[in-house]
Amino acid sequence: MAKQETDSRKSLVIVESPTKAKTISKLLGKDFIVEASIGHIRDLPTGKKDCPEKFKSEPWSYLGVDVDNGFKPVYIVPSEKKAQVQKLKSLLKEAKDVYLATDEDREGEAISWHLTEALEPKVPVYRMVFHEITNEAIHAALNSPRNIHEGLVRAQETRRILDRLYGYDVSKLLWRRVAPGLSAGRVQSVAVRLIVDRERQRIAFRSATYWDLLAEFETGKKARFKAELRSVDGKRIPAGKDFDSTTGKLKSDDFVQLNEADARALAERLRNASFKVIEVKETPYRRRPQPPFTTSTLQQEANRKLGMTARRAMRTAQSLYENGHITYMRTDSTNLAKVAVDAARDLVKAEYGAEFLPEQPRTYASKVKNAQEAHEAIRPAGHPFELPQNLRSRLSDDEYRLFEMIWKRTIASQMEDARGTQIAVVIEGDGAIFQATGKTIEFPGFLRAYVEGSDDPDAELADNERILPAVAPQEPLTPVGVDSLSHTTQPPARFTEAALTKELETLGIGRPSTYASIIDTIQQREYVNKKGSALVPSWTAFVVTRLMEQHFGELVDYEFTAQMEEFLDAVSRREAGHEEYLRAFYFGDGKPGLKERLELKLEEIDPRSANQIDVGIPTEGDFRDPIYLRVGKFGPFLEQGERKASLPAELAPDELTIEKCLELLAQAEKGDEPLGVDPATGKPVFLKQGRFGPYVQLGTLDDAEKPKNASLLKGMAVETLTLDDALSLLSLPRTLGPHPETGQPIEAHNGKFGPYVKAGTDSRSLPADTSPLHVTLEQAIALFAQPKRGRGQAAPAAPLKAFDQVSPVTGTPIQILSGRYGPYVTDGTTHFSVPKDVEPQEVTAEQAVQWLAEKAARAPVKKKASRKKTAKKAASEKSSPAKKAAKKSSGKKAAKKAASPAADES
């Protein structure tokens, strides 16, 4: 019998990220090679220029989707992924089989499918799925592989095509009728509409002021407590909810609205009245713990409790998952595996005691019907669960805080109810009814481990005990203080990231796993800005939303968008076909589809009307013409007849009243009157109000030379600014004298980031108490003698962070450096600014690689010019200032044109 030879080749395991590959490699050992695809290796072309040559002449080539042939997508390997694909192909040649271990959701399933399509493996292919990166889970998945889930792949592909058709075509219309660089999207446009709708409610809101009383009573045993007025002389005292938000009037005649005089008179009347307890109500309550985290609830709680943006929370959760600390973080399920329930119950008993453990395990049913329901909720990985304190030294601050929150929520979900009693004491005296409420916690139950966060900080106080003294019906009470209080009704609160996430999920719009990127996109496109934690829409958002509502209503209809999501879920379950839906959506089915309607609307929509918002007509004063708000090339501005005024960038839409408009227009009109004349040039000097604040201007736009502008220094007041002050500002930069060592002139400037002094290429920021108008040569020399800090150091600073990972595109090391505009990731060729809410030290290698890959993909292709043409062009530009200006202008236009028309929503 011949001796059987063993196959010495290794198995290739492909995952999405380098971090995940590194963790899994440690668990699988030497018989496996684990490599990352670094996300998707194939995608739709970003435009006609990236489309394969044979399709470039097709009218649909800019979409990358053959809309005339069953909506067949055209897939390409982006340039930044070609090196990684080649690497995977080389590894595949030496492998005995390949395991595709991407995430088990639509995107992960699609990545696995694209890998098989691009790599064309000749060895056995297995789909390996798991929900946590632990030794047990990885080996269980290895021993029970499955095939690629075609339903999930088709759902992802359909979603991608739908987003491309919607995003690219509608965005093109916005470019031509509103402004370049705008975008529309299946979910992003609806998210923007939600935020705009809330701001419209705030604009329409009319406040109301009402008064009530707060009394302090004393019992016969000298115990004191406070109670609020509920009714007087048989009429109820209203609360904020009892007023109509659009009129400021009471909704019912059953209430009495006290004014200040009424309240003070009533307080005086009751100070000497006799009071007694007429009722004591005790109501037992039980409060159940919340279920373990889903993607949506994790984002909401991370925002409310930890102050994390949705993007930051998901990035942190991704790191925790890939390093084996939590289960998969993209899930709609609240279910826990039996081993997880057992692990949680063991910890409840060990950490809190047997009395906190219910007799039977708790189960939580999720109402979400989709392909992700098979996942568990987000919980600590493995069993038994690792204790947060044992991981403290291995996790970043964000990772530790998020892991601790997940751990506590998971444990709390298997704990006893919180139990207590709610108490209401009703008090009567001289026709006035007061009520005091209290709350006792008899058994804290799950509250010992976890207390739910809230968008309203005051709501968290409701969980605290409020103890009332023991009183009985008919017991007399002595009023020791009666105070009148004023209240003003408040407009509906703006959405926070947590509230928007919750609303989108409630409406069934989009996938929770995409909310972070959607919220990022609407801010990057300047549809939304943040004011604290609130999401405030821009006037561009108002204009775009109104255009969409008027001309493409169903595309931003909440129900229609939710039905789109239900259709994609049906495709993932193989209950629906995608081609018929796409054909009806794009070409129409008995009525015009998107393509025809866009062509018609392009002719119908007037750009000037589309960019105009009617603010109102003044009823008082000298100027009675209608006031319009327009969104122009340089931002929003007001127009009333011949008068125009820029809108300050920090002014929220609900703060723009008729009175505010008239004030801004008057200020702008005043800016048309010069402060005086510059004696040196004979040109007028103006004080102007711009979008980013006040500034002074020398000359007019009609001059042959461009007017010179200068921003006001910090502390300068518009009301007291003189001509001399303005001329001093316009004189900057000031030459102070030569540097004693280099001989270079030292100049004082007022720059974008504040005042500074400069000598050649070296510069120093001025201290807060030193003005560039008054700084002396000696002070500047002393500053240059100090070591440089911050932006633009003469010698390269040490990297903020260096990675072992090299760029898959350039093959050079990746590091984080400190730049003029903040920290940025670079591989020497491509640079990506680190988001403001992310600490450089917390950036992972995988995040850095992904950011650089995305930035490289967006960069326009550079064409090499011949040396002869380059020299000729340079000589031409050198001789013509006008050509230089034209080049600068065209460069800006090209940059806008190169921007992707829509962030495809993944």
Side-chain angles (χ1 to χ4, degrees), residues 217-277:
F217 295 100
E218 186 176 80
T219 69
K221 296 181 179 179
K222 304 301 181 182
R224 293 187 177 188
F225 64 98
K226 293 181 178 181
E228 296 174 344
L229 181 66
R230 287 289 184 261
S231 68
V232 60
D233 299 329
K235 286 254 186 177
R236 287 184 294 161
I237 300 297
K241 61 182 176 59
D242 300 314
F243 290 87
D244 188 308
S245 63
T246 60
T247 64
K249 305 295 183 183
L250 280 168
K251 296 177 182 178
S252 169
D253 294 333
D254 295 338
F255 297 96
V256 57
Q257 184 176 356
L258 301 177
N259 57 31
E260 182 177 5
D262 295 335
R264 292 187 185 283
L266 181 61
E268 187 63 34
R269 166 183 139 190
L270 296 176
R271 285 190 180 103
N272 298 313
S274 298
F275 286 91
K276 65 179 178 180
V277 176

Side-chain angles (χ1 to χ4, degrees), residues 127-182:
R127 179 75 172 99
M128 176 180 167
V129 295
F130 45 85
H131 304 136
E132 57 183 335
I133 304 177
T134 61
N135 189 63
E136 182 181 1
I138 295 300
H139 283 89
L142 197 65
N143 294 328
S144 56
R146 63 162 172 80
N147 295 322
I148 290 174
H149 192 303
E150 289 293 330
L152 288 175
V153 174
R154 293 288 79 79
Q156 189 275 343
E157 186 173 73
T158 305
R159 190 272 310 155
R160 191 82 177 88
I161 294 170
L162 194 60
D163 286 344
R164 178 57 63 91
L165 299 176
Y166 187 135
Y168 270 38
D169 278 355
V170 178
S171 296
K172 283 172 64 179
L173 180 135
L174 295 181
W175 287 13
R176 298 174 68 177
R177 289 295 175 264
V178 181
L182 297 178

Side-chain angles (χ1 to χ4, degrees), residues 653-671:
D654 73 332
E655 297 169 2
L656 187 68
T657 61
I658 293 286
E659 293 72 25
K660 185 65 178 178
C661 289
L662 292 171
E663 177 188 328
L664 292 170
L665 287 162
Q667 286 179 4
E669 198 170 34
K670 187 178 179 182

Side-chain angles (χ1 to χ4, degrees), residues 580 583-593:
E580 298 82 3
R583 186 172 301 282
F585 174 76
Y586 197 62
F587 290 116
D589 183 12
K591 59 180 181 179

Side-chain angles (χ1 to χ4, degrees), residues 758-778:
K758 180 182 179 183
T761 58
D762 199 9
S763 62
R764 295 290 187 278
S765 294
L766 288 178
D769 59 350
T770 305
S771 166
L773 300 175
H774 306 116
V775 62
T776 65
L777 177 63
E778 291 72 21

